[in-house]
Amino acid sequence: MGKGTNFSGQPVLSQLIKLMDRQNINTLASKTGSDRYVKYLDGYSHLVVMLYAVLCNLRSLREVCLGFEANATRMNHFGLDHMICRSTLSDANRRRSSSFFGRIYRSLFRKYAPVLSDSRTKHETATKIYIMDSTTITLFSEILKGAGRNSENGKKKGGIKAHTIIQEDIDLPIFVDFTAAATSDHELMKRIFSLPEGSFITFDMGYNDYLIWKQLTEKGYKFVTRQKDNARFEIIEKRSCPEKDIIADQIIELSSNKLVERPMTEEELSHRRGRRPKSGIVTVREYVKGKYRCRRIVRRSDDGKDTVTFITNVLDQSEMSAEQICETYRRRWAIECLFKKLKQNFPLKYFLGDNVFSNIVTLARLTIGNYVNFVTLLNCPKQAWAERLRYWNSLETAQNTVQLELQFSP
């Protein structure tokens, strides 16, 4: 039988995890307290286990454990010195904060960002653009049918929402936050202020907040978004439109009347009825009216049958033309492509279900290319690991015997 000429001596997962600095991960675990009161499954081991589960598209805790039992002889290559148990993994998933894995991602992003692909050569401008959007991930749709809020069309948003910011020229997330699916997008808009000053951000109509837009302008951020159909505005200035498909280029003043919540002042507290709280902040809700000046661009759609209206705080035509503003918003589609790739290649599964048939299929999938007695593996999945432990114990016993003989030899 011919042998492959591409043999590396290390499993693929082992080669992938070597791209991560284990010492740095241990340091992050110490800083975040992720390894506090942990005996076996520390932060690094937990990360390796979850990477294995995602890359193998495993669907339950039992499948994860069966996968490691079927690959017991390769555990040392994975950096693991003990077999994974369902209860231990379940406890780790419940107790260890997701912020620990977020810190690992950010450290890897900083390390490998200089070598990531750069698509800026495809565009006329080299402006660094950040794109903000969210996507809903449906969880337990058949089990938690009551999850989420009721809507007029009868659909529910049961699951989680991933709020994401990507750098368009790298096409990778620089920020991800998870909330309930019913959480409004604009509640996460304050995360924009963590981006470098002077950044250009593009987002859709879900982030319509005139007060935040005004703060972005004051801090030097530039943005482009779509105008809502019910927006109230007054046209201040009309400009010429030399571009072919541009219908209108205007300076407008948007009017807002937003309900906000603020802390009560000392004077308001003195006139407040009832007992004054000893601690905590007393808030009051009120409507705040305001106006915001921006630029409105109306462009004919690609098929010529409709129009699309954009809003931006880039007022100067010499800085960016109307067509460049429209093209910048078009580049927002990069985040939609990223969401599609993530959902196609890394589907989020719930760890539920356990039956004999699924165990057989799982073991067959994980060992499809291995030289192993499949019936023996089904009857005793932990046999290889037990033999591995006996081998290590025999080596340790032999080493101790040699040390004793050397110690008492004349």
Side-chain angles (χ1 to χ4, degrees):
M1 180 182 295
K3 294 184 178 180
T5 59
N6 202 25
F7 181 71
S8 67
Q10 294 285 332
V12 173
L13 180 60
S14 175
Q15 299 173 50
L16 292 175
I17 62 179
K18 283 184 178 179
L19 297 173
M20 303 182 297
D21 187 348
R22 183 167 186 170
Q23 183 60 40
N24 182 43
I25 294 175
N26 292 335
T27 303
L28 289 175
S30 300
K31 290 182 178 179
T32 58
S34 297
D35 286 349
R36 187 177 299 170
Y37 309 119
V38 174
K39 294 181 179 180
Y40 297 107
L41 198 62
D42 59 4
Y44 175 81
S45 302
H46 193 187
L47 175 63
V48 172
V49 172
M50 298 310 295
L51 285 175
Y52 178 83
V54 170
L55 294 175
C56 293
N57 193 19
L58 302 180
R59 296 167 293 180
S60 69
L61 293 176
R62 182 174 289 275
E63 286 190 353
V64 176
C65 297
L66 282 175
F68 280 102
E69 291 170 2
N71 293 276
T73 56
R74 301 174 178 86
M75 293 288 283
N76 59 326
H77 293 303
F78 299 158
L80 304 177
D81 56 1
H82 60 279
M83 186 54 65
I84 307 301
C85 298
R86 280 180 296 159
S87 58
T88 304
L89 181 55
S90 176
D91 291 340
N93 288 338
R94 183 178 69 254
R95 295 176 181 175
R96 186 164 283 117
S97 173
S98 61
S99 62
F100 166 67
F101 299 100
R103 286 172 175 259
I104 296 175
Y105 175 83
R106 287 192 290 272
S107 67
L108 291 173
F109 183 86
R110 289 192 297 267
K111 180 178 180 180
Y112 292 107
V115 298
L116 294 175
S117 61
D118 193 336
S119 59
R120 283 180 291 182
T121 56
K122 300 179 182 178
H123 309 289
E124 297 178 359
T125 177
T127 304
K128 183 178 291 186
I129 297 177
Y130 295 93
I131 307 171
M132 185 175 188
D133 204 354
S134 66
T135 183
T136 301
I137 302 173
T138 303
L139 295 179
F140 315 124
S141 57
E142 294 301 322
I143 298 175
L144 301 181
K145 294 185 178 180
R149 62 183 180 187
N150 293 319
S151 57
E152 295 179 357
N153 58 9
K155 296 181 180 179
K156 292 185 177 182
K157 290 186 177 180
I160 61 174
K161 182 179 287 187
H163 303 267
T164 310
I165 299 178
I166 73 168
Q167 187 174 318
E168 185 258 353
D169 55 353
I170 296 180
D171 195 24
L172 277 178
I174 62 173
F175 166 79
V176 179
D177 191 16
F178 295 99
T179 64
T183 303
S184 176
D185 287 345
H186 80 273
E187 294 185 14
L188 273 294
M189 282 201 72
K190 293 182 180 179
R191 298 296 309 190
I192 295 179
F193 296 101
S194 61
L195 297 175
E197 292 187 6
S199 300
F200 202 114
I201 309 106
T202 175
F203 40 81
D204 62 13
M205 292 182 289
Y207 299 92
N208 191 287
D209 192 319
Y210 299 158
L211 296 180
I212 297 293
W213 291 1
K214 187 175 182 179
Q215 295 175 21
L216 290 173
T217 303
E218 292 172 350
K219 292 184 178 295
Y221 293 94
K222 297 179 177 62
F223 70 85
V224 58
T225 184
R226 291 275 304 278
Q227 177 191 306
K228 281 192 171 182
D229 295 335
N230 60 352
R232 295 177 298 170
F233 62 91
E234 179 185 355
I235 299 176
I236 305 299
E237 178 187 348
K238 294 183 179 180
R239 296 173 171 178
S240 59
C241 306
E243 291 92 347
K244 177 183 177 181
D245 294 323
I246 302 300
I247 299 175
D249 190 349
Q250 307 163 340
I251 299 297
I252 65 171
E253 200 169 57
L254 291 165
S255 301
S256 64
N257 189 21
K258 183 179 180 181
L259 183 64
V260 298
E261 188 172 2
R262 63 168 179 82
M264 277 189 173
T265 63
E266 289 294 331
E267 183 178 357
E268 290 172 333
L269 285 172
S270 64
H271 295 288
R272 178 177 176 271
R273 292 183 178 181
R275 181 178 297 178
R276 183 170 179 173
K278 296 181 179 179
S279 61
I281 300 175
V282 181
T283 60
V284 59
R285 302 180 71 184
E286 61 182 12
Y287 283 95
V288 176
K289 295 183 178 181
K291 292 184 179 295
Y292 176 71
R293 181 166 294 196
C294 57
R295 184 178 175 188
R296 178 175 180 264
I297 298 171
V298 182
R299 186 186 188 278
R300 188 177 291 105
S301 59
D302 293 338
D303 57 10
K305 298 179 180 179
D306 202 354
T307 60
V308 186
T309 306
F310 302 95
I311 296 293
T312 180
N313 62 347
V314 182
L315 305 182
D316 192 352
Q317 282 182 312
S318 61
E319 184 178 355
M320 290 190 75
S321 66
E323 189 61 39
Q324 286 177 323
I325 294 293
C326 299
E327 176 61 26
T328 300
Y329 186 83
R330 188 193 299 271
R331 292 163 66 176
R332 194 196 68 84
W333 190 252
I335 198 169
E336 303 291 351
C337 295
L338 176 64
F339 288 153
K340 183 177 180 180
K341 288 186 288 187
L342 291 176
K343 289 184 177 181
Q344 285 179 339
N345 293 284
F346 304 103
L348 185 60
K349 301 293 183 181
Y350 46 84
F351 286 158
L352 295 173
D354 175 33
N355 57 70
V356 176
F357 179 76
S358 67
N359 293 344
I360 295 176
V361 174
T362 299
L363 285 177
R365 182 173 72 246
L366 296 174
T367 60
I368 197 70
N370 294 0
Y371 298 95
V372 63
N373 189 313
F374 192 64
V375 176
T376 303
L377 180 63
L378 286 174
N379 291 330
C380 186
K382 294 185 178 181
Q383 179 177 339
W385 178 248
E387 293 176 354
R388 198 76 175 173
L389 289 177
R390 285 195 296 269
Y391 174 72
W392 288 340
N393 292 333
S394 64
L395 288 180
E396 185 178 357
T397 303
Q399 185 178 5
N400 292 337
T401 302
V402 172
Q403 290 179 352
L404 288 173
E405 291 177 353
L406 292 175
Q407 182 177 358
F408 293 103
S409 61

